[in-house]
Amino acid sequence: MPSSSNAEARAGRGGRRVLNASFVGLLPYVWLLVFFLIPFLIVLKISLSTAFYGQPPYEPVLDLAEGVGATWEKVKTLSLGNYTFLASDSLYVEAYLSSLKIAAIATVLTLLCGFPIAHAMARAPRGWRPLLIALVIMPFWTSFLIRVYAWVGILKREGLLNAVLLELGAIGEPLTILNTNFAVIVGIVYAYLPFMILPLYAALERQDPALLEAASDLGSPPWLAFWQVTVRLSVPGIVAGSLLVFIPAVGEFVIPNLLGGSNTLMIGQTLWNEFFLNHDWPLSSAVAVVLLVILVVPITLFQRYQAREVE
Amino acid sequence: MSALASPAMTGAPLGDSAAEPIAKRAAEPLIRFDHVRKTFGGVVAVADLSLDIEEGEFFALLGPSGCGKTTLMRMLAGFETPTSGDIRLAGKSLAGVPAHKRPTNMMFQSYALFPHLSVWDNIAFGLRREGLNAAAIRARVDDMLSLVQLTAQARRKPHQLSGGQRQRVALARSLAKEPRVLLLDEPLAALDKKLRGETQFELTAIQRRLGITFVIVTHDQDEAMVLADRIAVMREGGIEQVGTPAEIYEAPVSRAVASFIGEINLIEGTVAHADARETALDAPALGTRVVASPAGAARAGEAGCLAIRPEKVAMRRVNGHSDGPNTLTGTVSDAAFMGEDTLYRVRLETGHLIKTRRSNTRDGGTIRLGDRVVLNWDPADAVFLER
């Protein structure tokens, strides 16, 4: 303990405090550099390489020990060939489009399920709210894989859902739900719901209930007041929640793999196949880079929106 | 059965219905609370309350927190429904009329300005629901902006305004639709003292100019006194007293009203005698008999209380023998300098403290702590309270 109190004493004199503050400010950038930018550059480099039967399964392998000149010769052999291949083969284009479509539908459905839940939580008695939040987070205590796998038991032909519907007489014969895109969407909605509820709850909880009364006092019927005030003021929460669901859902691998069928085309699976079955590291790296670029677009839009909102 | 009876039964009301609405309109005030009661899960917020508010009045509902004043106002606005009883506006029952269809507008305590809308759009919000054309809305909003002197801030968002400016936006927004009644929920509570003083005069000026009925809810007695034409003092879900500020101050009907409004001396005792001219009270705390002269309905032997305002108690230094009704001697125990006057507390021989107020003019002579003084008051200035 004496050392820490010494540090405090010195910090009190000035100098060090400034240093500490700038280090704390740098920390996120260091983190991004080490865990995002450097890995990304490695993936980008591999995506420009050519597949090769060997270890590692691509070439060229850059090694500065060979000297700058030799390395530069190797750099010159890098090409955009993998990207032109991705653009020319409709399989990849379709996989991207299908992923975006499934993720978009699932995001809208997650929003429609999440909004009433978050709204009810925000209007619940203050004492209940921590418990309700804990209940929303509770599923994370169980393995993601197991929770998604459990849906197989619910959705399969002889599964729980079909049994209940048959028993109720709602259907004459079992529905085929498992191994369809619909099952994938159900899985995404279920798995990502907490990511939608929490930002929505944060946005709804801090709204002054008097705002809703003010709208109706000024002549808006309840449904319109809800739209003008409650929904309008939770737009930042809606955008944040939708991005938190949409972005990982586009690249989702586990859910389409367990619940999807042979017709389900998602880019996460395509990437997995290229990497583990074809051992084509460069091509799968290109798939990953393109996916990242596609996803950067909504993130940028979101940040522009947020900046405008603050102003 | 009822089908058979109805033609005969409608005959009678039809006969005098032609005359009745006119008579009713003349007799009925703008707002009438008729035996209104409101409970929240067994807790009584408003208990069987009846109250009339006249057209064009600046009316204050005054009381401590939890007295039911806010609930009363929220029932008028349509945010709460009375458990029983009826609220009528211009002779028509408001029962079943939702908030968005009532000709009342409210200025909220938190102001409740829409944070995503500019000052201009906040004020235009209610007008857009009235189906006015764009030019009419623009003219009306600009009028309101100049009324509250915020024309230059029209494009700002609420968070870019000072507290006083926000308060004026809230006022302009609630006045924009020209309501029959404007409800103000603690409108000045969030302002600092100096700004509050200025805003009070602005509010009364605006109310006189527009002639709209203002109903204000406040726990601040000074605010109610300065602003209102009439005040209803509320306590525990009921009304203690309704009257002009002067009536409430000079002639409180109960200990609760007397002690809630301003400083007052309450002297407990037993009625010695009472007649049409005066009520005399034996006060053990003073060791003497005190007299109030406004006629009361008290009877000898009853317990009661004499109330006298500090500024009505004259104080001078003892010189020679003092006698007469309501004359007490004591020593100055402490003094609170208030600026324009000083509030003294004088300890009597019995130990009881009497408050007296002296203006800080030059001719008063100096009185110091510990001085022996004589106090007395005119019986006409004292009030006898049974409650």
Side-chain angles (χ1 to χ4, degrees):
Chain A
M1 285 303 120
S3 69
S4 84
S5 64
N6 277 348
E8 271 167 25
R10 261 177 285 142
R13 265 176 242 134
R16 178 168 285 241
R17 186 181 291 166
V18 177
L19 199 73
N20 281 346
S22 61
F23 178 71
V24 169
L26 274 177
L27 211 55
Y29 296 100
V30 173
W31 177 276
L32 277 177
L33 182 74
V34 173
F35 294 106
F36 179 74
L37 196 58
I38 293 173
F40 174 74
L41 289 174
I42 294 170
V43 171
L44 184 66
K45 187 255 149 193
I46 295 173
S47 77
L48 298 170
S49 311
T50 317
F52 173 74
Y53 190 76
Q55 191 62 258
Y58 57 87
E59 62 174 11
V61 178
L62 300 183
D63 185 357
L64 278 173
E66 293 171 3
V68 176
T71 308
W72 180 240
E73 284 307 308
K74 283 187 175 176
V75 167
K76 279 201 278 190
T77 68
L78 293 176
S79 80
L80 289 168
N82 291 315
Y83 293 95
T84 50
F85 179 72
L86 279 186
S88 65
D89 192 329
S90 66
L91 170 78
Y92 301 103
V93 178
E94 275 170 30
Y96 280 119
L97 291 178
S98 164
S99 297
L100 290 173
K101 192 177 122 193
I102 288 173
I105 294 170
T107 303
V108 170
L109 291 177
T110 313
L111 177 61
L112 293 179
C113 295
F115 200 94
I117 297 173
H119 188 259
M121 284 168 63
R123 295 285 166 275
R126 199 164 288 276
W128 291 19
R129 294 182 199 168
L131 175 73
L132 293 171
I133 293 171
L135 287 174
V136 169
I137 301 170
M138 196 93 88
F140 292 129
W141 296 2
T142 315
S143 154
F144 176 70
L145 203 59
I146 290 172
R147 283 186 288 128
V148 175
Y149 198 75
W151 279 94
V152 174
I154 297 172
L155 298 177
K156 65 183 176 187
R157 268 185 86 82
E158 314 78 40
L160 204 59
L161 183 61
N162 274 320
V164 170
L165 290 177
L166 281 171
E167 190 65 35
L168 291 174
I171 50 172
E173 56 183 288
L175 300 171
T176 306
I177 305 172
L178 191 63
N179 304 330
T180 63
N181 283 355
F182 179 70
V184 176
I185 290 169
V186 168
I188 294 175
V189 170
Y190 163 75
Y192 289 97
L193 196 56
F195 297 105
M196 182 64 88
I197 291 176
L198 294 178
L200 283 178
Y201 170 79
L204 289 165
E205 200 250 359
R206 54 165 193 258
Q207 283 180 20
D208 180 359
L211 290 174
L212 211 53
E213 289 179 346
S216 70
D217 187 62
L218 292 167
S220 299
W223 65 269
L224 186 61
F226 180 78
W227 179 259
Q228 287 170 323
V229 175
T230 311
V231 175
R232 177 61 189 76
L233 290 178
S234 52
V235 165
I238 292 173
V239 173
S242 298
L243 286 176
L244 283 175
V245 173
F246 180 76
I247 291 170
V250 172
E252 181 56 54
F253 167 73
V254 172
I255 295 171
N257 206 41
L258 287 178
L259 304 178
S262 48
N263 291 332
T264 305
L265 198 57
M266 284 194 78
I267 201 66
Q269 289 173 296
T270 310
L271 197 150
W272 199 89
N273 289 342
E274 291 300 341
F275 196 86
F276 290 101
L277 299 182
N278 291 348
H279 298 287
D280 193 339
W281 287 26
L283 186 64
S284 51
S285 297
V287 169
V289 170
V290 170
L291 180 61
L292 184 83
V293 171
I294 290 172
L295 293 180
V296 159
V297 176
I299 296 171
T300 317
L301 286 177
F302 172 58
Q303 279 178 335
R304 187 171 305 168
Y305 169 82
Q306 265 196 325
R308 209 181 44 194
E309 197 72 354
V310 168
E311 171 219 328
Chain B
M1 173 81 181
S2 65
L4 279 174
S6 64
M9 287 181 69
T10 48
L14 266 177
D16 46 25
S17 71
E20 201 200 33
I22 296 160
K24 204 171 181 181
R25 212 173 299 151
E28 181 123 350
L30 181 64
I31 302 162
R32 168 162 284 175
F33 291 93
D34 188 4
H35 297 281
V36 171
R37 181 180 166 81
K38 176 70 183 175
T39 56
F40 292 102
V43 180
V44 179
V46 172
D48 193 39
L49 182 150
S50 295
L51 174 68
D52 289 349
I53 298 173
E54 302 293 339
E55 177 118 47
E57 260 190 316
F58 201 135
F59 194 91
L61 297 170
L62 174 66
S65 62
C67 72
K69 59 189 193 297
T70 304
T71 308
L72 200 62
M73 171 176 273
R74 290 173 59 80
M75 287 193 285
L76 188 52
F79 301 137
E80 309 285 355
T81 316
T83 309
S84 65
D86 192 23
I87 304 171
R88 282 198 295 280
L89 186 86
K92 284 197 217 88
S93 171
L94 287 175
V97 182
H100 66 276
K101 288 190 177 151
R102 293 192 182 193
T104 58
N105 281 126
M106 184 148 165
M107 190 184 144
F108 291 82
Q109 185 174 8
S110 65
Y111 307 148
L113 298 178
F114 303 117
H116 58 297
L117 298 180
S118 68
V119 168
W120 205 95
D121 288 319
N122 262 286
I123 297 172
F125 191 95
L127 299 170
R128 296 212 163 103
R129 304 257 33 88
E130 291 197 319
L132 294 172
N133 64 39
I137 291 177
R138 202 175 314 126
R140 183 77 186 144
V141 174
D142 290 343
D143 274 358
M144 286 297 116
L145 283 169
S146 65
L147 179 74
V148 298
Q149 295 156 43
L150 281 173
T151 308
Q153 285 80 21
R155 290 285 143 216
R156 299 244 181 107
K157 292 275 182 73
H159 70 93
Q160 295 167 311
L161 301 176
S162 72
Q165 288 172 332
R166 277 203 284 273
Q167 194 258 4
R168 271 146 53 202
V169 178
L171 180 64
R173 187 180 70 177
S174 56
L175 283 171
K177 291 183 75 172
E178 295 183 79
R180 289 296 296 274
V181 184
L182 180 74
L183 308 171
L184 302 107
D185 186 4
E186 304 270 4
L188 310 176
L191 304 180
D192 62 60
K193 197 172 183 222
K194 189 159 184 299
L195 198 54
R196 204 179 310 160
E198 290 164 15
T199 314
Q200 282 175 348
F201 289 113
E202 257 173 57
L203 268 184
T204 41
I206 287 174
Q207 196 265 341
R208 280 207 199 100
R209 230 174 94 190
L210 302 178
I212 294 175
T213 309
F214 277 33
V215 178
I216 182 179
V217 154
T218 181
H219 67 277
D220 183 330
Q221 28 134 341
D222 293 332
E223 200 170 296
M225 304 278 254
V226 172
L227 291 173
D229 300 321
R230 283 200 307 151
I231 298 173
V233 182
M234 292 185 65
R235 188 168 152 262
E236 290 169 5
I239 288 182
E240 278 297 294
Q241 186 173 7
V242 182
T244 64
E247 282 166 3
I248 302 259
Y249 188 79
E250 304 287 355
V253 298
S254 68
R255 291 181 182 86
V257 174
S259 55
F260 188 69
I261 313 264
E263 294 282 347
I264 199 156
N265 294 296
L266 293 178
I267 300 161
E268 301 290 338
T270 318
V271 177
H273 69 259
D275 54 36
R277 208 163 43 81
E278 61 172 36
T279 307
L281 198 71
D282 280 326
L286 309 187
T288 179
R289 178 171 291 189
V290 285
V291 184
S293 71
R299 275 177 309 212
E302 278 181 346
C305 172
L306 183 138
I308 179 83
R309 296 280 174 195
E311 66 272 22
K312 300 286 169 61
V313 179
M315 173 171 63
R316 61 185 161 79
R317 255 183 291 177
V318 173
N319 64 32
H321 181 69
S322 310
D323 210 359
N326 300 334
T327 301
L328 309 164
T329 50
T331 44
V332 177
S333 155
D334 47 59
F337 180 72
M338 322 272 272
E340 64 269 41
D341 55 23
T342 304
L343 185 68
Y344 295 90
R345 293 205 297 169
V346 175
R347 190 176 296 280
L348 308 179
E349 274 88 6
T350 56
H352 191 80
L353 288 168
I354 295 283
K355 285 176 276 197
T356 170
R357 203 188 278 277
R358 255 164 73 102
S359 77
N360 292 323
T361 46
R362 287 185 199 176
D363 50 307
T366 327
I367 285 183
R368 293 194 178 79
L369 294 187
D371 282 356
R372 294 272 303 156
V373 290
V374 177
L375 304 173
N376 86 308
W377 64 84
D378 185 334
D381 289 330
V383 184
F384 176 75
L385 305 173
E386 284 175 278
R387 283 197 285 146

